Amino acid sequence: DSGVTQTPKHLITATGQRVTLRCSPRSGDLSVYWYQQSLDQGLQFLIQYYNGEERAKGNILERFSAQQFPDLHSELNLSSLELGDSALYFCASSVEVGEQYFGPGTRLTVT
Amino acid sequence: GENVEQHPSTLSVQEGDSAVIKCTYSDSASNYFPWYKQELGKRPQLIIDIRSNVGEKKDQRIAVTLNKTAKHFSLHITETQPEDSAVYFCAASIKRAAGNKLTFGGGTRVLVKP
């Protein structure tokens, strides 16, 4: 167990819908990262937050957004969902400059 | 941006043999290179990492080497066991204040045959 928690574990929804994925970092970690893992794309960095502020952005679609709250948990919002958004979504956390530890992931299925 | 290539994409070894996975990166500013092991349906787990001021690091049966000049790094697993079967990912990043985003290689599926 890495200490990073993610909810829900599984999510099944229809195209066009909106979902929110939640992540709680390890105690003491200020940085949260979101990654998308699909079969043909591997692990892709989406976005990073540090202590409530956006710090780095990767290949995140405009339909996706994220935020980090004062208690340091983070939410990833995915809207206008398409079939191609089906993937495993991982969050990871780290101390200011350190190793990243991954949560168990949320498996999103868009039908 | 950074680009990481990983080879081979699949690797089958006999139990007890060694396995080697190689990665190359493009951004010479990258200074942190972790390796993750991912079992089917599970989260990536950090197994070893190396920083750019070190050429080699070892942890029991796992070792990682880094050649900064050539911009490549490798994972070596000795005396492989069936529980080493998994997908392994290399990654590269630039460690700086307030975190570092990881760019991952495409992964290597390792199968250890008993």
Side-chain angles (χ1 to χ4, degrees), chain A residues 16-107:
Chain A
Q17 295 298 304
R18 183 179 190 273
V19 296
T20 298
L21 313 184
R22 184 189 167 107
C23 167
S24 291
R26 294 185 319 160
S27 176
D29 286 358
L30 298 179
S31 274
V32 170
Y33 310 77
W34 286 97
Y35 294 88
Q36 179 191 55
Q37 185 175 39
S38 49
L39 277 173
D40 57 347
Q41 294 286 327
L43 276 159
Q44 300 287 324
F45 168 74
L46 296 178
I47 197 164
Q48 178 211 349
Y49 279 81
Y50 173 77
N51 204 20
E53 293 187 4
E54 181 184 308
R55 279 302 175 115
K57 222 166 183 175
N59 298 323
I60 187 166
L61 300 171
E62 283 193 15
R63 301 183 284 108
F64 295 2
S65 65
Q67 54 185 324
Q68 186 179 29
F69 295 86
D71 67 352
L72 300 178
H73 90 271
S74 177
E75 292 181 357
L76 178 67
N77 301 295
L78 316 176
S79 61
S80 303
L81 285 167
E82 302 175 358
L83 295 177
D85 297 328
S86 295
L88 262 171
Y89 291 84
F90 288 103
C91 82
S93 74
S94 72
V95 296
E96 189 171 319
V97 182
E99 299 83 5
Q100 291 185 30
Y101 293 90
F102 281 71
T106 293
R107 182 174 295 281

Side-chain angles (χ1 to χ4, degrees), chain B residues 74-94:
Chain B
S74 300
L75 177 73
H76 304 251
I77 307 173
T78 58
E79 299 171 26
T80 53
Q81 300 167 7
E83 52 264 37
D84 295 328
S85 296
V87 179
Y88 292 80
F89 291 95
C90 63
S93 76
I94 302 169

Side-chain angles (χ1 to χ4, degrees), chain B residues 27-47:
Chain B
D27 191 341
S28 56
S30 288
N31 57 11
Y32 176 63
F33 308 92
W35 286 86
Y36 286 84
K37 175 184 179 182
Q38 187 179 27
E39 295 173 3
L40 191 63
K42 303 253 178 101
R43 63 184 174 91
Q45 284 186 281
L46 179 68
I47 57 172

Side-chain angles (χ1 to χ4, degrees), chain B residues 44-100:
Chain B
Q45 284 186 281
L46 179 68
I47 57 172
I48 195 167
D49 58 13
I50 191 167
R51 287 156 175 76
S52 60
N53 58 346
V54 174
E56 183 173 356
K57 185 176 176 180
K58 206 169 181 179
D59 182 4
Q60 298 182 344
R61 296 185 297 107
I62 293 173
V64 57
T65 59
L66 171 65
N67 183 326
K68 280 199 69 181
T69 305
K71 289 191 283 188
H72 67 68
F73 56 113
S74 300
L75 177 73
H76 304 251
I77 307 173
T78 58
E79 299 171 26
T80 53
Q81 300 167 7
E83 52 264 37
D84 295 328
S85 296
V87 179
Y88 292 80
F89 291 95
C90 63
S93 76
I94 302 169
K95 262 183 172 284
R96 52 170 65 98
N100 48 286

